[in-house]
Amino acid sequence: MTESLHTLHASVTDPTNNLTLGSSSDRSACYRCHPGATTKCLRGAMGKQSNIQCQSCHGDMNAVGAHGRQGWLEEPNCQACHQNALRYTEAVTNATTGTLRASLDSRFATNANTPSAGISMYRFSTGHGNMQCSACHGSTHAIYPSSHTEDNLQSIAVQGYAGTVAECTACHDSVPQTTTGGPHGMHSVGSTWVSAHKSAARNNLTSCQSCHGTDYRGSVLSKTPTSRSLNGKTFAAGHQIGCYDCHNGPSGD
Ligand code: HEC
Ligand code: HEC
Ligand code: HEC
Ligand code: HEC
Ligand code: HEC
Ligand code: HEC
Ligand code: HEC
């Protein structure tokens, strides 16, 4: 069904822009059949980006309809873009074949061979605390924070603001003491970590680079998701925490 449907309609002309559905490079083509006009089925953190379209992840109509592709199972994944401390805007390396970028690291990856050999699906994968990925991120096309208010209600209810469920105390009674045991290898958060980070830094400074950046000045992976007061300073939500914020660089001097 998916093969016939997408292949046949690839050559159909959309009367609103005179492009064939197969040559269109944006979501308007897919929204002709998939819930679009009001539902906006693509509405999460990625969907809000004008440079990320359905085709950026799935490839175009011909790629979805490719003969031999296993529909409903061979889908895109997170690590095709979120790898090596980067965020690519294209999961496919070729939109007409739908070939996914190979992943260089598994920090933000879906589980291999899930739910079956050779398949790796977000919907079935689990991460920190053996919870579904979607417990902290929401569903595939509405990854927190979403442009629709309703999608954000759960994250607001458990931690007070919309976005990835990131507050340790949304689930734990108190912030657990750990250097790498949090989600995706995260350390503790807050004043207890300010006291504890020194020995972690002395023991394995280069491990801090994967999130705080190779220059230790912060990256998108060291953003504080909400305003925090740490060590007598206030950091605004979205501030990329670096090692120069409180002292002169990673040696702590
Ligand atoms: C002409 C109508 C139509 C258009 C246009 C369309 N789709 Fe679909 N799509 C469908 C239908 C119907 C199904 C369900 C097929 C089935 O039941 O197997 C589907 C299923 C899918 C699936 C799930 C099944 C699979 O193959 O994995 C994906 C992914 C998908 N479409 C992606 C897209 C993308 C991306 C676009 C735009 C480039 C698009 N579709 C445009 C009608 C359409
Ligand atoms: C096409 C590439 C691509 C794919 C595939 C992708 N992402 Fe993203 N993602 C991005 C980009 C680019 C950004 C940065 C968006 C921005 O600038 O706000 C992002 C941002 C995010 C954020 C941060 C949101 C915020 O506001 O801080 C989260 C969380 C996220 N993605 C989770 C996921 C998950 C989970 C998956 C898999 C289901 C996934 N991403 C798949 C490209 C992708
Ligand atoms: C940021 C990447 C990304 C974008 C953009 C994206 N998808 Fe998906 N899509 C996925 C992933 C990942 C899956 C597999 C989810 C899973 O593992 O369960 C998926 C699965 C699907 C499915 C199968 C059913 C389901 O919900 O799991 C359909 C249909 C689909 N996408 C259609 C679309 C359409 C239509 C658009 C544009 C309006 C779109 N997608 C945009 C990443 C994306
Ligand atoms: C307990 C909550 C939790 C679970 C479960 C979880 N994550 Fe995350 N995820 C987070 C947090 C918190 C961040 C932000 C990390 C950071 O900024 O360093 C994040 C960030 C991400 C990002 C975005 C990285 C970026 O560039 O901003 C992706 C992709 C991602 N997770 C994928 C997954 C996948 C795939 C799974 C399941 C295998 C999963 N997550 C399970 C909490 C979780
Ligand atoms: C969405 C809920 C959720 C969030 C948010 C969360 N955790 Fe957890 N965490 C769990 C669950 C569930 C377990 C597994 C508990 C078990 O197996 O008994 C767990 C287990 C742990 C463990 C293993 C030891 C233990 O206490 O059981 C550590 C360490 C940990 N989490 C640290 C963190 C840190 C640090 C953060 C914040 C950066 C965090 N977690 C955020 C749900 C969460
Ligand atoms: C998995 C990604 C990741 C790694 C690895 C990592 N950090 Fe962080 N770090 C973060 C994030 C995200 C924040 C912002 C947390 C927040 O405020 O919620 C942060 C914040 C901090 C803070 C400020 C305290 C706070 O609660 O905001 C210090 C200090 C810190 N990191 C030190 C380190 C040191 C030292 C290392 C290496 C031993 C390290 N980090 C490794 C992601 C990481
Ligand atoms: C929120 C503020 C804050 C941030 C951000 C921060 N530190 Fe610190 N750091 C401190 C404080 C406070 C001390 C203790 C200073 C003292 O004892 O005089 C310290 C001390 C240290 C020390 C010990 C220095 C010594 O005297 O031996 C090291 C190493 C260190 N930090 C590394 C890092 C690294 C690496 C980062 C970035 C990943 C980082 N710090 C980010 C507040 C911070």
Side-chain angles (χ1 to χ4, degrees):
M1 169 99 159
T2 186
E3 180 180 330
S4 319
L5 214 282
H6 294 98
T7 307
L8 181 82
H9 288 87
S11 55
V12 168
T13 302
D14 179 343
T16 64
N17 59 13
N18 288 323
L19 287 175
T20 59
L21 293 172
S23 63
S24 165
S25 58
D26 71 25
R27 65 189 76 179
S28 63
C30 317
Y31 276 175
R32 290 278 160 254
C33 302
H34 289 275
T38 48
T39 306
K40 299 208 173 10
C41 63
L42 177 57
R43 55 178 191 259
M46 276 69 69
K48 287 190 280 187
Q49 306 299 312
S50 56
N51 56 350
I52 300 183
Q53 299 294 334
C54 316
Q55 291 87 342
S56 318
C57 291
H58 289 279
D60 63 21
M61 293 285 287
N62 284 306
V64 178
H67 181 61
R69 177 182 160 264
Q70 291 177 270
W72 303 104
L73 292 171
E74 287 179 34
E75 302 293 357
N77 56 42
C78 318
Q79 59 273 30
C81 293
H82 292 274
Q83 50 168 284
N84 231 5
L86 297 172
R87 295 162 158 187
Y88 291 95
T89 53
E90 295 277 331
V92 291
T93 50
N94 179 335
T96 48
T97 60
T99 310
L100 284 183
R101 176 180 296 101
S103 173
L104 297 178
D105 82 282
S106 59
R107 188 185 291 275
F108 297 112
T110 50
N111 305 160
N113 302 320
T114 304
S116 55
I119 303 294
S120 179
M121 294 188 77
Y122 174 75
R123 184 162 75 243
F124 296 98
S125 295
T126 57
H128 180 74
N130 210 24
M131 283 179 296
Q132 300 297 130
C133 311
S134 48
C136 298
H137 292 292
S139 56
T140 316
H141 301 101
I143 297 294
Y144 306 148
S146 162
S147 57
H148 283 208
T149 312
E150 297 83 345
D151 294 322
N152 295 324
L153 291 176
Q154 189 189 24
S155 62
I156 294 172
V158 299
Q159 66 184 7
Y161 57 88
T164 308
V165 177
E167 292 299 323
C168 315
T169 50
C171 305
H172 295 274
D173 289 339
S174 58
V175 177
Q177 295 303 308
T178 180
T179 302
T180 57
H184 306 295
M186 182 64 191
H187 48 67
S188 312
V189 170
S191 55
T192 43
W193 177 244
V194 174
S195 318
H197 77 286
K198 305 164 209 167
S199 57
R202 284 194 212 103
N203 292 342
N204 194 352
L205 185 59
T206 50
S207 71
C208 317
Q209 292 184 341
S210 22
C211 300
H212 290 278
T214 44
D215 61 0
Y216 299 100
R217 290 184 181 273
S219 85
V220 290
L221 294 180
S222 66
K223 277 198 306 195
T224 180
T226 187
S227 168
R228 288 196 205 287
S229 286
L230 300 163
N231 194 37
K233 294 185 177 185
T234 302
F235 296 92
H239 176 81
Q240 301 180 358
I241 305 251
C243 313
Y244 293 82
D245 283 337
C246 306
H247 44 62
N248 193 25
S251 62
D253 298 336

